Amino acid sequence: MAVRKTKHEMPEQPAKERVKNFNEVPYGYSKETAIEEAKRCLQCKNKPCIEGCPVEIDIPDFIKQIAAGDFDKAVEVLKNKTSLPAVCGRVCPYESQCEGECTLLKIGEPVAIGRLERFLADYEREKGMIIPKLPKATGKKVAVVGAGPAGLTCAGDLAKMGHGVTVFEALHAPGGVLMYGIPEFRLPKDIVNAEVDYIKKLGVEIKYDIVVGKTITVDELFEDYDAVFIGTGAGLPRWLRIPGENLDGVYSANEFLTRVNMMKAYRFPEYDTPVKIGKIVATFGAGNVAMDCARTSLRLGAEKSYIIYRRSDVEMPARNEEIEHAKEEGVIFKLLTNPTKFIGDENGFLTEVECIKMKLGEPDDSGRRRPIPIEGSEEKIKIDTALVAIGQSPNPLIPQTVKDLEIERWGNIKTDKDGKTSIPGLFAGGDIATGAATVILAMGAGKRAARSIDTYLKKK
Ligand SMILES: Cc1cc2nc3c(=O)[nH]c(=O)nc-3n(C[C@H](O)[C@H](O)[C@H](O)COP(=O)(O)OP(=O)(O)OC[C@H]3O[C@@H](n4cnc5c(N)ncnc54)[C@H](O)[C@@H]3O)c2cc1C
Ligand code: SF4
């Protein structure tokens, strides 16, 4: 029988409806559609898709179990390698990872691996998560700093190896960017909480409101723990560094999204912590963070929401799905356009942004074509809110406070591929080591570090 060339569609809220609410956009596959999609898999002998998965999930095996209708067995295969499948099934850039390696790309679209992962994770959550049998306690204790995907993965894997794990988190809730950055309409918070609960049920303890480097130092952690893992992420906003950036109405993407997600500004007046949003909003940047800002501002009532980006659509770093969703919802893309200054009124409130048109030159260090300003092409655009989403740098507190810790040029902690730092017993991974990257890369780093910590503890 000929293989279907396209993925099975995933039903979703119509754009006109969803732009008025914060409910999740796609609904997920039904059991029948999941089985049909799984039957597209060729069960390739060389399994190229596994190569594309940073946490090495046995993709063909879990798909085979779905195709056979054995969802419980499929969950078992999936959970062997990941503790956060519902998160990854929603936000992983699978088109450039596992799906990017799928053999079916030679004739059409890859198997919808991400959608199948999401289906299974949702199936398991609704049914009740199964906690695996844990080995005998080793008596060793590990402190994990940061409850983002890197820290949570490292903690879960160490617990499954029998080690005692305590996570120290600066905020009052777990999840890192999954909780404070990615909006509810892309990643519902009860789903993040359910996956964190699973990790807690493995025996991991999470302590909140502890800023390591201030409340307690890494040296002090070593007094009570045999090893320490740092997964503190890249939460330091980068700025455009143009005149007027201190006007009222200019936010960093981080501040804006944290206030909306974590402080529940989107549920005002139920939560009395609103965020001021204007009528015309411009988001600068074109990554996932920028798409989240632009789409969130429409949901908060903005009449116009621009994405302003200095390169072209080819270079936009956001996932394709996010760009498509943003366009469907009415976000206006102004590409090859770069801001030069913000302009305000006499009271210091933002009223306009001046931009200049750009053209693309030769590729720069990043491999992308360098944007070059076109002289005399300045234009002013009326806006009353600006959201700066041009990237984040590693959180500086731990790099600044741990003596003898080797740091790289951009402030990230230097590690080898297994997460070892320059200090014995101190490991790191995720955005704090790589700079801002992706959920699955952070999870992969947490996983490798857990293995490396286990080896270290066995030798200790
Ligand atoms: C808005 C937004 C959208 C994104 N969308 C996607 C997407 O669609 N797909 C994708 O793959 N990736 C996406 N990313 C990137 C992805 O979320 C990150 O790469 C990933 O979360 C990094 O994980 P981490 O564990 O290294 O760090 P984080 O998720 O940043 O977690 C770090 C944790 O450490 C805590 N912490 C920091 N300092 C301290 C301290 N001193 N003491 C104690 N705790 C501390 C923080 O509070 C936080 O909870 C997005 C990022 C943002 C900001
Ligand atoms: S590469 Fe594609 S077709 Fe081959 S095993 Fe993986 S998911 Fe199936």
Side-chain angles (χ1 to χ4, degrees):
M1 202 176 67
V3 182
R4 183 186 151 117
K5 289 191 180 148
T6 53
K7 293 178 182 180
H8 286 80
E9 287 297 317
M10 187 158 62
E12 59 185 34
Q13 278 197 73
K16 275 199 181 128
E17 282 302 312
R18 67 184 192 236
V19 78
K20 294 185 222 138
N21 67 56
F22 275 80
N23 300 338
E24 194 177 9
V25 172
Y27 296 123
Y29 278 163
S30 65
K31 285 183 184 171
E32 295 72 25
T33 313
I35 291 175
E36 285 310 308
E37 181 62 26
K39 284 183 181 162
R40 291 183 64 227
C41 177
L42 304 173
Q43 292 297 314
C44 311
K45 281 220 165 58
N46 57 342
K47 307 179 176 187
C49 45
I50 301 184
E51 290 278 297
C53 173
V55 294
E56 305 151 13
I57 296 171
D58 190 338
I59 296 164
D61 195 11
F62 90 70
I63 294 183
K64 185 163 85 187
Q65 307 305 336
I66 298 180
D70 191 345
F71 303 139
D72 292 328
K73 179 80 184 127
V75 167
E76 209 183 300
V77 176
L78 187 63
K79 291 296 258 309
N80 244 332
K81 296 283 180 174
T82 171
S83 302
L84 303 171
V87 169
C88 293
R90 285 171 166 81
V91 300
C92 232
Y94 23 78
E95 60 270 23
S96 59
Q97 300 199 307
C98 53
E99 292 186 11
E101 306 295 326
C102 179
T103 310
L104 280 186
L105 278 170
K106 288 182 189 151
I107 57 154
E109 290 181 354
V111 175
I113 302 171
R115 292 176 185 175
L116 291 175
E117 184 173 351
R118 170 197 166 122
F119 162 77
L120 270 187
D122 291 354
Y123 162 84
E124 191 206 12
R125 197 178 55 259
E126 276 154 29
K127 200 175 160 214
M129 291 195 193
I130 300 160
I131 307 301
K133 205 165 170 283
L134 296 170
K136 214 170 134 248
T138 61
K140 302 282 185 196
K141 284 166 65 188
V142 183
V144 168
V145 185
L152 290 173
T153 302
C154 185
D157 280 20
L158 286 166
K160 285 192 207 159
M161 294 167 187
H163 304 304
V165 189
T166 308
V167 179
F168 295 84
E169 167 56 48
L171 299 172
H172 60 278
V177 169
L178 310 178
M179 200 62 103
Y180 75 73
I182 303 181
E184 180 77 15
F185 57 84
R186 245 180 6 105
L187 182 60
K189 302 311 154 210
D190 54 358
I191 285 174
V192 181
N193 280 325
E195 299 214 320
V196 173
D197 271 351
Y198 170 80
I199 289 166
K200 286 201 242 169
K201 284 187 184 141
L202 296 173
V204 171
E205 185 191 4
I206 307 184
K207 293 188 172 178
Y208 298 107
D209 303 315
I210 298 181
V211 182
V212 176
K214 286 269 182 215
T215 327
I216 184 169
T217 64
V218 170
D219 281 347
E220 283 166 336
L221 288 178
F222 272 115
E223 289 170 14
D224 289 327
Y225 294 88
D226 301 292
V228 178
F229 173 80
I230 310 290
T232 46
L236 188 68
R238 290 203 192 130
W239 291 99
L240 290 159
R241 296 180 187 279
I242 57 173
E245 217 167 7
N246 57 349
L247 286 167
D248 264 331
V250 183
Y251 297 84
S252 71
N254 257 33
E255 180 190 345
F256 176 69
L257 291 172
T258 303
R259 290 173 65 162
V260 175
N261 296 328
M262 209 152 204
M263 296 172 73
K264 302 268 187 288
Y266 73 98
R267 281 166 66 180
F268 176 77
E270 187 191 337
Y271 284 78
D272 56 1
T273 40
V275 64
K276 183 174 179 288
I277 188 88
K279 288 197 164 92
I280 309 177
V281 179
T283 301
F284 300 90
N288 289 321
V289 183
M291 299 304 142
D292 285 344
C293 287
R295 296 173 70 197
T296 297
S297 60
L298 284 176
R299 283 163 172 77
L300 289 175
E303 288 166 11
K304 255 190 197 170
S305 174
Y306 293 108
I307 284 280
I308 298 185
Y309 180 50
R310 63 192 183 137
R311 290 184 160 100
S312 76
D313 52 355
V314 181
E315 290 84 16
M316 287 199 286
R319 294 172 65 220
N320 295 343
E321 189 179 297
E322 307 316 327
I323 297 170
E324 283 315 308
H325 278 152
K327 285 183 181 164
E328 286 165 13
E329 289 168 11
V331 172
I332 304 160
F333 284 69
K334 279 183 92 58
L335 305 179
L336 290 167
T337 306
N338 203 27
T340 46
K341 69 173 166 193
F342 291 116
I343 300 159
D345 64 14
E346 62 284 4
N347 297 318
F349 284 93
L350 176 70
T351 54
E352 279 178 312
V353 59
E354 183 187 271
C355 294
I356 188 162
K357 283 276 164 215
M358 310 292 277
K359 61 182 179 189
L360 292 181
E362 293 301 310
D364 60 16
D365 292 347
S366 71
R368 294 175 302 174
R369 292 178 64 194
R370 198 163 60 88
I372 305 166
I374 303 173
E375 256 181 63
S377 66
E378 288 84 356
E379 62 168 331
K380 285 185 183 148
I381 306 168
K382 287 207 176 313
I383 59 170
D384 44 20
T385 305
L387 306 173
V388 181
I390 56 164
Q392 297 95 235
S393 302
N395 284 323
L397 191 54
I398 291 195
Q400 280 169 3
T401 54
V402 179
K403 209 171 144 260
D404 298 331
L405 181 60
E406 271 187 50
I407 308 300
E408 294 193 301
R409 190 167 155 219
W410 303 111
N412 41 317
I413 298 178
K414 189 172 175 186
T415 66
D416 70 3
K417 65 174 179 19
D418 299 320
K420 281 192 204 125
T421 69
S422 53
I423 298 176
L426 185 63
F427 299 77
D431 283 4
I432 187 69
T434 54
T438 63
V439 171
I440 196 70
L441 287 176
M443 286 174 62
K447 200 169 210 28
R448 287 192 303 280
R451 269 186 223 143
S452 180
I453 293 171
D454 184 54
T455 310
Y456 169 81
L457 293 176
K458 280 181 179 146
K459 284 190 195 148
K460 219 178 162 220

